[in-house]
Amino acid sequence: MKLFSTNNPNKLVDLKEAVLNAFPEDRGLYWPTEIPLLRSDFLSRLAEFSFNDIAFEVSNALIQGTIPEKDLIDIIENSIRFPAPVVGLSDDLNILELFHGPTMAFKDFGARFMAQLMSYFTKGSDRKTTILVATSGDTGGAVASGFFNAPGIEVIILYPSGKISPLQEQQLTTWGNNIKAVEVNGVFDDCQALVKQAFLDKDLKSRYTFSSANSINIARLIPQSFYYFEAYKQLDRNKSNIFVVPSGNFGNLTAGLLAQKMGLDIHSFVAAINSNKTFLDYIDSGVYEARPSVPTVSNAMDVGDPSNFPRLLNVSGSTWNMVKSNIRSYSFTDSQTIEAIKAVYNTYHYTIDPHGAVGYLAYLSDKEISPYANYTVLETAHPGKFSEIVNKAIPEKIIVPEALRSFMDKPKEAFNIQNNYKEFKSLLMHL
Ligand SMILES: *Cc1c(COP(=O)(O)O)cnc(C)c1O
């Protein structure tokens, strides 16, 4: 398998290089040179395959023998350990629950698969690998959980102070051992900028072997395509199936495009977004203009410059018209989001989290133009992760699962810095 940089089609690397060194120096993103079409007998008989078998078929086709089949099976067995069930709410509305992993958000799929791949590729190396990651909420916890106690790997997580939920913060700052947290007085985009700069810093590079765990790492994206197949197998294939993806950095949606490109019969996609409207404005105008992010109640989607946009463009065929023909987008405010949590509860007696609620609103909007389609909204996190918000919207008090509650009692440990590269660098030089 070869991957190229979206900023330079001639810059080719193998999977190991792309996974361990996720940022090409030209600041592009790695993407496979070839996306294979899956066997039609596999696609037509999806229902006969287990989730793990599906993950194997998809990844084995994509990586084209880069990892021996036996090792790939182990990697999948150690990462895909929880289901992705589809819950039908009505004739045309389904919820794909992606929150059955250890940190109860979809990022567990990507983070665990990536941790397994990195451990596989660094086995036997005598230098420690340092994973530097910026999080807008859920990434950090999933990455920390995936890598906790992984031999030869250390994780440094940057998060925006006060911009993530108390529970998310506990999931970043209470691990100890090989997991370190840095609280930045700034917004998510500041954290991401600090990480990007550190990756290109010569002094730091001589001291560290860096790797990235953000959604830009192709190892995060590949496993996110698995659950589109897993969902599809549970859906009515005689209908036009549309996936609604609550989006921030657009890794999840790009993984859906990858599944579609590999032959999965997805009619089209809906990008559900909050007040961070960069993508919607692009769909409307054809002009991509990054902006500062604004905080919302669906905070894992507070991204003003979605990092996977170059990949999304590439896999779509690189023109605005091609993107528009496959992806529609709708944006909603916080008050609409809270009303939607109420509406889903009252109509279906289902408790949805704020990110899924934005998805539900996008479903309602899109259904106006595709009344006969079958919609599946990705529920990207367990509502218990956002109980402060959800409890305000519904009459019942949401029960926070034990797996989450256990984080609340542990002491927080984090380095606090200003949004200042010098200060960040100095911290890294002295850690
Ligand atoms: C990360 C995240 C998103 C956004 O996913 P992207 O792949 O960045 O678009 C949506 N919802 C939740 C709960 C998340 O954690």
Side-chain angles (χ1 to χ4, degrees), residues 62-114:
L62 196 61
I63 70 174
Q64 300 169 348
T66 300
I67 297 173
E69 293 191 358
K70 186 177 101 352
D71 294 328
L72 186 58
I73 289 171
D74 285 347
I75 288 168
I76 288 167
E77 273 182 3
N78 288 326
S79 44
I80 312 297
R81 306 188 77 123
F82 33 87
V86 170
V87 178
L89 295 189
S90 76
D91 281 351
D92 70 350
L93 173 60
N94 307 280
I95 303 288
L96 171 59
E97 293 186 343
L98 296 175
F99 54 69
H100 294 279
T103 70
M104 310 203 124
F106 81 85
K107 294 193 175 70
D108 283 324
F109 286 100
R112 295 182 69 84
F113 188 80
M114 177 179 58

Side-chain angles (χ1 to χ4, degrees), residues 11 26 46 59 121 142 145 173 214 250 276 280 313 363 428 430:
K11 162 86 183 160
D26 61 24
L46 271 182
S59 52
F121 283 132
S145 160
T173 57
N214 276 76
F250 283 73
N276 293 278
L280 174 59
L313 205 55
Y363 145 77
L428 290 181
H430 296 101

Side-chain angles (χ1 to χ4, degrees), residues 14-255:
D14 61 12
L15 181 63
K16 177 177 177 178
E17 169 72 13
V19 168
L20 295 182
N21 196 359
F23 282 108
E25 300 218 341
D26 61 24
R27 297 182 177 234
L29 299 175
Y30 287 123
W31 189 247
T33 51
E34 234 181 283
I35 296 174
L37 208 54
L38 294 170
R39 305 183 277 126
S40 59
D41 65 319
F42 167 71
L43 290 167
S44 60
R45 289 172 34 234
L46 271 182
E48 296 166 32
F49 290 81
S50 71
F51 193 4
N52 279 21
D53 292 342
I54 288 175
F56 175 78
E57 281 286 333
V58 174
S59 52
N60 197 38
L62 196 61
I63 70 174
Q64 300 169 348
T66 300
I67 297 173
E69 293 191 358
K70 186 177 101 352
D71 294 328
L72 186 58
I73 289 171
D74 285 347
I75 288 168
I76 288 167
E77 273 182 3
N78 288 326
S79 44
I80 312 297
R81 306 188 77 123
F82 33 87
V86 170
V87 178
L89 295 189
S90 76
D91 281 351
D92 70 350
L93 173 60
N94 307 280
I95 303 288
L96 171 59
E97 293 186 343
L98 296 175
F99 54 69
H100 294 279
T103 70
M104 310 203 124
F106 81 85
K107 294 193 175 70
D108 283 324
F109 286 100
R112 295 182 69 84
F113 188 80
M114 177 179 58
Q116 289 295 319
L117 267 194
M118 283 188 173
S119 302
Y120 174 79
F121 283 132
T122 56
K123 219 183 295 166
S125 154
D126 48 4
R127 235 178 114 134
K128 185 164 74 179
T129 297
T130 300
I131 315 261
L132 214 49
V133 56
T135 183
S136 59
D138 281 332
T139 302
V143 167
S145 160
F147 282 103
F148 183 54
N149 283 339
I153 295 184
E154 159 192 68
V155 181
I156 300 174
I157 304 168
L158 283 76
Y159 70 95
S161 181
K163 307 279 188 320
I164 66 175
S165 78
L167 179 63
Q168 285 176 328
E169 184 168 26
Q170 289 295 110
Q171 284 186 314
L172 302 180
T173 57
T174 58
W175 294 90
N177 197 9
N178 63 331
I179 314 287
K180 300 182 173 73
V182 181
E183 180 175 6
V184 179
N185 292 337
V187 294
F188 167 69
D189 292 308
D190 300 327
C191 299
Q192 209 163 27
L194 290 173
V195 167
K196 283 192 182 170
Q197 201 170 343
F199 272 110
L200 301 170
D201 189 307
K202 297 267 181 308
D203 302 328
L204 290 176
K205 274 173 74 170
S206 64
R207 193 184 160 99
Y208 287 96
T209 302
F210 280 134
S211 227
S212 161
N214 276 76
S215 58
I216 57 145
N217 195 310
I218 192 73
R220 288 256 318 261
L221 224 132
I222 292 170
Q224 288 176 12
S225 66
F226 303 161
Y227 47 69
Y228 286 91
F229 293 88
E230 174 69 7
Y232 193 87
K233 112 183 172 192
Q234 301 170 66
L235 294 169
D236 183 346
R237 60 167 60 229
N238 296 315
K239 296 184 180 168
S240 293
N241 281 294
I242 296 179
F243 282 89
V244 181
V245 189
S247 293
N249 268 319
F250 283 73
N252 220 359
L253 200 144
T254 303

Side-chain angles (χ1 to χ4, degrees), residues 168-413:
Q168 285 176 328
E169 184 168 26
Q170 289 295 110
Q171 284 186 314
L172 302 180
T173 57
T174 58
W175 294 90
N177 197 9
N178 63 331
I179 314 287
K180 300 182 173 73
V182 181
E183 180 175 6
V184 179
N185 292 337
V187 294
F188 167 69
D189 292 308
D190 300 327
C191 299
Q192 209 163 27
L194 290 173
V195 167
K196 283 192 182 170
Q197 201 170 343
F199 272 110
L200 301 170
D201 189 307
K202 297 267 181 308
D203 302 328
L204 290 176
K205 274 173 74 170
S206 64
R207 193 184 160 99
Y208 287 96
T209 302
F210 280 134
S211 227
S212 161
N214 276 76
S215 58
I216 57 145
N217 195 310
I218 192 73
R220 288 256 318 261
L221 224 132
I222 292 170
Q224 288 176 12
S225 66
F226 303 161
Y227 47 69
Y228 286 91
F229 293 88
E230 174 69 7
Y232 193 87
K233 112 183 172 192
Q234 301 170 66
L235 294 169
D236 183 346
R237 60 167 60 229
N238 296 315
K239 296 184 180 168
S240 293
N241 281 294
I242 296 179
F243 282 89
V244 181
V245 189
S247 293
N249 268 319
F250 283 73
N252 220 359
L253 200 144
T254 303
L257 296 171
L258 181 62
Q260 187 187 40
K261 195 110 190 170
M262 293 181 84
L264 189 64
D265 183 19
I266 298 173
H267 175 275
S268 56
F269 294 88
V270 173
I273 56 179
N274 58 29
S275 302
N276 293 278
K277 298 198 325 192
T278 303
F279 186 77
L280 174 59
D281 292 345
Y282 164 76
I283 292 285
D284 285 345
S285 70
V287 180
Y288 180 87
E289 205 175 332
R291 354 207 126 91
S293 57
V294 294
T296 74
V297 293
S298 48
N299 65 29
M301 313 196 310
D302 295 350
V303 182
D305 186 6
S307 56
N308 280 292
F309 184 74
R311 280 180 177 144
L312 180 150
L313 205 55
N314 190 280
V315 70
S316 301
S318 295
T319 71
W320 175 44
N321 276 324
M322 288 170 114
V323 175
K324 274 201 307 181
S325 67
N326 193 28
I327 311 172
R328 296 170 299 286
S329 186
Y330 305 93
S331 141
F332 301 95
T333 63
D334 278 357
S335 56
Q336 289 173 306
T337 305
I338 307 240
E339 283 307 310
I341 297 173
K342 261 184 221 170
V344 171
Y345 181 86
N346 290 334
T347 316
Y348 306 109
H349 213 81
Y350 185 86
T351 306
I352 202 158
D353 97 293
H355 305 82
V358 175
Y360 170 72
L361 289 166
Y363 145 77
L364 289 180
S365 298
D366 199 67
K367 168 178 143 90
E368 307 270 318
I369 58 166
S370 298
Y372 304 109
N374 192 34
Y375 284 88
T376 301
V377 175
L378 274 59
E379 171 58 322
T380 48
H382 189 285
K385 292 194 87 158
F386 302 93
S387 55
E388 300 86 357
I389 296 152
V390 175
N391 279 338
K392 276 189 223 147
I394 62 169
E396 235 172 89
K397 257 225 169 331
I398 188 164
I399 297 173
V400 178
E402 172 53 31
L404 295 181
R405 260 180 301 156
S406 65
F407 285 97
M408 291 315 284
D409 312 325
K410 298 184 190 152
K412 164 182 163 181
E413 262 182 70

